[in-house]
Amino acid sequence: MEKKKRYIVFISDKFGYQCGGCTTVNYELCIALSQVINKNNIIIKAMVINCDKKDRVNFLEERAKLLGIDIKHQNILNEINSLSDADYQDICGSVIQGWDEESEVIWVGHDIFTGNYAIRLAKYTKGKSVVCIHTDYDTIEGLKGVYNHGIIKESTQREIIQRADIVFAIGPRLMERVREVRKVGIYELLPGIANIDKNDIYNERAIIIYGRFEEGIEQVKQVHLALAAFGRAVAIMNNNRDYVLHIIGAPNNKEKKVNLCAIAEEYAEGRKLSINFLNYTQDRKHLFTCLKNNCAGLMISISEGFGLTGWEMISAGIPLILTKKSGLYDYLNNKFGYMLNGMCLPVDLKGSSLDKLCMEDVQAVAEKIVTVFKNPQQLRIVAEELREKVKIETWQKAASNLAKRIGFSSVDYGIVDIYSDTYRKRKDSLEAILNALEVEEMGDSFLVFFGGISRTLCGERAIVKLTHWLERNPNRMLFLCYETGMAANERAKDIDRNSLPNDGLSREPEQRMKEKEKLVEQSFRLYPEKVRKQVNFIKLEHSPLTYTIIVDKNIYFTVLLQTRSSESMTMKIMEDSVEERKKIIESMEFIIDKQEKREKEKKLLDVLQWYRQNYFKDENV
């Protein structure tokens, strides 16, 4: 009997990062859910309402489509409450082709922007409504000075929280807000850490603040305070160094920028300052490159429901000067307690208006900036440690949490909670690498799996991800090197049969290895014809001492124990560990050299030689 179709529809007014936290969470959750969900009869959709063509970001939409996410733009002219049954029918027919009353539909909306759409459409389709809460409107609107808007928005939000089937609060501070309204069917959702490569070279004289600082919100974000504190810090330093402030997201208005510079220079006691204004960008690689080239980031809002900008600064491994009036501070304080003061630089703010700055706040933030300017290297080390401690909080983990709460199964990311990226079970490392490849966050040229026979890599889900990666560049190469014959038998001798699961394969190690070898050989046929020339299956006739994964410059190796390799621990070799990297490459070459070198083996040896020439920071290589 055919299973009923199940749909998850993410509703937003923009698809990408245009509007800060709300659209960022929607986009990243949608992407991550497509990676972790078990997709049998589950279809992920993105419904974007009333979004002009000029506001659409093609490369972000294309990225989502490659992952199988169907995007539908829907112009809804009437208020959601005034739509007729015919209107609802048209919307459902357009967004969910093939939908019928037997289908199960989960509608995911966001706060007062699309929460009502999720609730109404769920009622019409007899599905479930899920709403993510991003803002404490009662507080934020009051701080803006727009007095009556706060009451209206808070009332709308309260009604949405009450009526939705399931509510997710973004971070602990907003969870408190949701608990004021209802007690059941509510869950906290922590945003994922951004995947930003480590950067050892950066500007020790530059700090950065970024976000959407349009009129009305700049008072909450305390942009004027950031400028004044930067000027005051330069005055305190009183030396000949050229300090720089980067502001991303400031209004594109020359007069406004001149006035902002004047604030900073006033507090710098007349010194001319270097202040660079950059437009708000949806190019995440460009944004993260800008982030890394600073010795500190500022998130000093007078109120933040969570604080994604601060979370991304932590992701970049730069010291963070952090307002205590944020959900991010609450999360870090709950997790680390008194140790937090050594990991970032929290600051307690009274708050300033656009017309009058609080001098205590100016001095407090300036002192934190001075601390960074005086100790850039030491604080950078601490910031890297903080990044490593929270790196387990991925978007995939957040998506798995969401899937679990709405009753959908997903890949188990629970194991990742206790391991960092440099030390985790091999099956989790494989999953993380496949997800990163799929969204172009790593792997420009080649991918080598050397040793072992992974059921994960033989599965359709992994092959779809690898195929997407290969299709985007015909020069990319994939190598799957697996043990066969005597090599497989030798490995089987090291496996404790009592550690083997009841998973459909033999629990006799030697027979199990033969069955897995057959799975590998069968998996080649699952790759589309157009990418098969890029896929190289190589039989290893001799057992390697460790299993290795190479993703361009990154090397991961697995120490083999008396258990399944998927349960063994995989470690990432640091880029500055030249000798260790050389040994790994040499051991792979040694294994290949011991057997007949056909065309695919020669290709792999060429790749290893290329690796030596491009990634060994060693004059003798």
Side-chain angles (χ1 to χ4, degrees), residues 465-505:
K465 293 173 184 286
L466 291 167
T467 297
H468 285 161
W469 178 73
L470 292 167
E471 285 176 335
R472 291 194 290 272
N473 187 336
N475 293 320
R476 287 173 172 165
M477 286 190 287
L478 170 65
F479 294 88
L480 293 125
C481 310
Y482 61 100
E483 292 152 301
T484 187
M486 290 301 297
N489 291 338
E490 286 301 312
R491 172 59 183 149
K493 293 176 182 177
D494 293 333
I495 299 175
D496 178 4
R497 67 179 308 276
N498 294 322
S499 70
L500 297 176
N502 291 314
D503 57 1
L505 295 179

Side-chain angles (χ1 to χ4, degrees), residues 136 139-140 143 173 220-221 301-305 323 325-326:
D136 177 0
T139 299
I140 293 295
L143 290 170
R173 182 162 288 222
V220 177
K221 300 295 184 180
S301 309
I302 195 60
S303 181
E304 284 282 0
T323 176
K325 295 182 177 179
S326 65

Side-chain angles (χ1 to χ4, degrees), residues 193 310-311 314-315 317-320 322 331-332 335-336 340 342-345 380-391:
I193 206 81
W311 199 219
I314 291 173
S315 308
I318 63 173
L320 173 63
L322 169 69
Y331 161 74
L332 293 171
K335 187 175 182 69
F336 300 112
L340 178 59
M343 295 178 176
C344 60
L345 295 92
R380 185 73 171 211
I381 293 170
V382 173
E384 282 291 343
E385 290 176 354
L386 175 58
R387 180 173 85 151
E388 193 63 32
K389 289 180 183 295
V390 299
K391 206 170 182 179

Side-chain angles (χ1 to χ4, degrees), residues 578-607:
V578 176
E579 285 303 316
E580 287 77 6
R581 291 156 78 88
K582 283 174 62 178
K583 288 176 183 176
I584 290 289
I585 296 298
E586 288 169 356
S587 68
M588 295 170 68
E589 290 172 328
F590 177 75
I591 293 292
I592 296 296
D593 278 333
K594 288 172 68 176
Q595 64 189 56
E596 182 183 348
K597 289 184 280 297
R598 293 170 287 266
E599 182 182 353
K600 291 179 180 180
E601 283 83 353
K602 290 176 181 177
K603 278 187 187 178
L604 178 55
L605 289 173
D606 288 342
V607 164

